[in-house]
Amino acid sequence: MPNQPYLDHKKTKVDGLAFVGLSLTRKSDVGNADSITHQEAFDLNDVLDRDYEFLMSSNDDGWLVGGGEPGPPTSYKLAAKDSSHVEIMRIGTYRPDWGGISEEDIVSALNSGKILIPQMEVVPTAVVANPDTPPELEIRFDMDPPMPDFDDLSTPLPDNWCIRFVHNQLFKYFEFPSRFCPGPFHSTILRKADFRSPAHKEAYFAKCDAAIKKWRLGGPKPLNNGGWDVDGKPLEETSEYNSGLWLFLDRKNITHFFKPNFLPPYDTREKRELILDFLSEEWDQDELVWKPVAPALKKKYAELESPVEEKKVELV
């Protein structure tokens, strides 16, 4: 069986790397000179170990975030610009005959307003080592708390609700064989991490925990606060809300930016009910089915005064 939860692995003929997601790339004095900036909310160097105080080795990519790898003589990993990102929906290829979907279909849908793109305000929730041996190090962007309050609409939405909100819309709108989301929702920062000792590993994660605590105290932040385009230059037209979605050909090549079209505030009853409806289900990537996030949730939403299909939300 495939090790990726494709929607239909039998019809996925060629794997690919195109995806819809968030760009976390940020130019840094200690990174690669070719890196560009798409966010200034979080300096991911706060959770890196560029001096290899805690780590003994990694794969040849080195640090994927925090400005990337400068290359010799500053570092002796492969020189590469920052490619930090969070995948929300893996497309794979733009060839339907390989199980993918055309780029035109993706771009058309995201420009049409059929996918509601909120102001993407996020916050890292943890740095973890994944189950691989040696592991990858990942920054998590989990929804916290993992379930919103469906009873009290005045309760603040969970941190990072916007990522799952977009993910669920995309998964409900698009159905093609190679669709999946790798390990929702994270940004890989290093591959094949080999620590010097268990004590060094513990110290590294203590350092990361301190950075996460600092970021979480500041709360979710908009990413594209500078109004940057694909190439890192200013967008031709900016507004108060510029933190949207990006279309990647692969992690090193971004081709399109999509501005938010579902704008704050999100505390009106109409908007809150719409958001909670999309958050009421979770895609089970093992069984490839939608499941309610809480018992009797379907019944509760069936009793709402107005079904979501009839609601009209103004897109600004």
Side-chain angles (χ1 to χ4, degrees), residues 60-86:
D60 55 11
D61 289 318
W63 298 104
L64 302 171
V65 308
E69 282 287 350
T74 305
S75 77
Y76 281 82
K77 297 294 185 179
L78 292 175
K81 64 182 182 180
D82 189 323
S83 60
S84 47
H85 63 272
V86 177

Side-chain angles (χ1 to χ4, degrees), residues 217-246:
L217 283 174
K221 304 290 185 185
L223 294 177
N224 193 5
N225 60 309
W228 296 288
D229 207 342
V230 169
D231 57 3
K233 297 178 181 178
L235 291 164
E236 291 185 4
E237 296 182 8
T238 60
S239 68
E240 182 181 355
Y241 304 107
N242 300 301
S243 188
L245 301 177
W246 306 83

